[in-house]
Amino acid sequence: MTAEETLPFADWLRLREPADAAARAEELLDAVRARLTGDAPMVIHDLGSGTGSMSRWLAVRLPGPQHWVLHDRDADLLARAAEGMTGVRAADGAPVTVHTRCGDLTGLTAADLADGSLVTASALLDMLTAEEIERVVAACVGRPALFAISVTGRVRFTPADPLDEAVEAAFNDHQRRTVEGRRLLGPDAGAATAAAFARHGVDVRERPSPWRLGPEQADLAAEWFRGWLGAACAQRPDLAGPAQAYARRRLADAAAGRLTVLVDHTDLLAGG
């Protein structure tokens, strides 16, 4: 079970987009809408925009003219995101415009986001370090910030399997690994972000946003499982032997429509 067996990243983002959309905590949007009032077009910065799933999901749920600024380090993903926003209109039919900025979002400052009415991100925080989260939070202070689909590390399978807990623990350790001197926060990132905003005196609301994957999402469940197990085995090579039979059982259950998976996430709204 290796990383090479998983989809290219852009295809993975496309596959997971419907599950992210279904999971995001829409109740936080009422607070966002209450803050975004006035006649001037709102400016929304989307950090780590990937192929644009967050912008496509949110733009149609907010009224009024919008200008989205999409940030990512991958120019190809940014091009896909901008193309995917073609024809998107606001909830009331108002125009939505887009431009892209390619670069390292962890270097953004308050000045870079000074024109922002709102900052958003989805499935981003777990890939950052504590120091990077501190910088991102400092840049966001002064405007609402909506961070969606941050992993918590909790996974629940039906039916259960004796190997589930060991693989979950190994995967979470892998998410907290050190990469080129950067110690990632993984499932601790949501709590670290909330604490960072609190140190700036910014109120934070958190809501659960789990993936609930059943037979209708069997392709996503199988692809997610391959990556989840592959990362766990990379972290703990001693799992590689037992993982072969475990993978066969789980993937057979997914293909037959017998498997359901709850992958827990949290959504966070700061300053809303």
Side-chain angles (χ1 to χ4, degrees):
M1 188 63 56
T2 66
E4 285 73 23
E5 292 174 302
T6 60
L7 285 174
F9 189 54
D11 293 336
W12 164 244
L13 294 180
R14 174 189 52 77
L15 181 63
R16 67 175 287 170
E17 184 168 346
D20 286 346
R24 292 189 185 105
E26 292 211 31
E27 63 186 278
L28 294 177
L29 293 186
D30 289 338
V32 172
R33 294 186 189 100
R35 284 290 304 271
L36 301 179
T37 58
D39 297 328
M42 66 185 79
V43 176
I44 305 172
H45 289 265
D46 187 15
L47 308 184
S49 59
T51 54
S53 68
M54 185 65 167
S55 54
R56 285 189 292 275
W57 179 82
L58 187 54
V60 299
R61 287 167 170 79
L62 297 177
Q66 303 168 32
H67 181 67
W68 282 78
V69 184
L70 309 182
H71 300 260
D72 206 284
R73 66 174 63 186
D74 188 315
D76 179 64
L77 294 182
L78 282 173
R80 292 172 186 245
E83 183 179 359
M85 289 291 281
T86 303
V88 170
R89 309 287 288 188
D92 57 359
V96 174
T97 59
V98 177
H99 85 262
T100 62
R101 292 183 186 172
C102 189
D104 181 3
L105 63 88
T106 64
L108 293 173
T109 66
D112 295 315
L113 304 180
D115 61 346
S117 312
L118 172 69
V119 177
T120 70
S122 186
L124 169 70
L125 298 177
D126 54 283
M127 297 186 290
L128 303 181
T129 69
E131 295 78 10
E132 289 164 352
I133 281 178
E134 290 288 345
R135 294 200 297 270
V136 168
V137 166
C140 290
V141 170
R143 60 202 49 80
L146 178 62
F147 293 95
I149 314 294
S150 296
V151 297
T152 69
R154 294 184 292 273
V155 176
R156 295 295 178 267
F157 291 92
T158 304
D161 188 283
L163 206 57
D164 291 344
E165 290 187 8
V167 176
E168 178 185 293
F171 175 81
N172 289 338
D173 287 344
H174 184 267
Q175 294 298 93
R176 298 182 179 105
R177 71 195 183 281
T178 299
V179 180
E180 297 179 351
R182 299 170 59 249
R183 186 180 184 280
L184 309 182
L185 282 179
D188 306 320
T193 302
F197 275 113
R199 287 192 290 274
H200 285 273
V202 178
D203 292 335
V204 172
R205 308 182 203 189
E206 294 185 75
R207 296 292 185 273
S209 53
W211 279 359
R212 302 181 188 276
L213 307 182
E216 298 81 4
Q217 297 85 23
D219 288 348
L220 174 59
E223 186 64 26
W224 166 83
F225 175 80
R226 291 185 187 98
W228 183 74
L229 181 57
C233 291
Q235 182 68 25
R236 278 189 53 188
D238 61 295
L239 287 174
Q244 299 304 311
Y246 178 65
R248 286 194 294 271
R249 292 194 298 273
R250 284 301 189 207
L251 294 174
D253 283 342
R258 296 188 297 264
L259 183 69
T260 61
V261 189
L262 186 149
V263 184
D264 200 27
H265 304 97
T266 187
D267 286 9
L268 178 155
L269 174 63

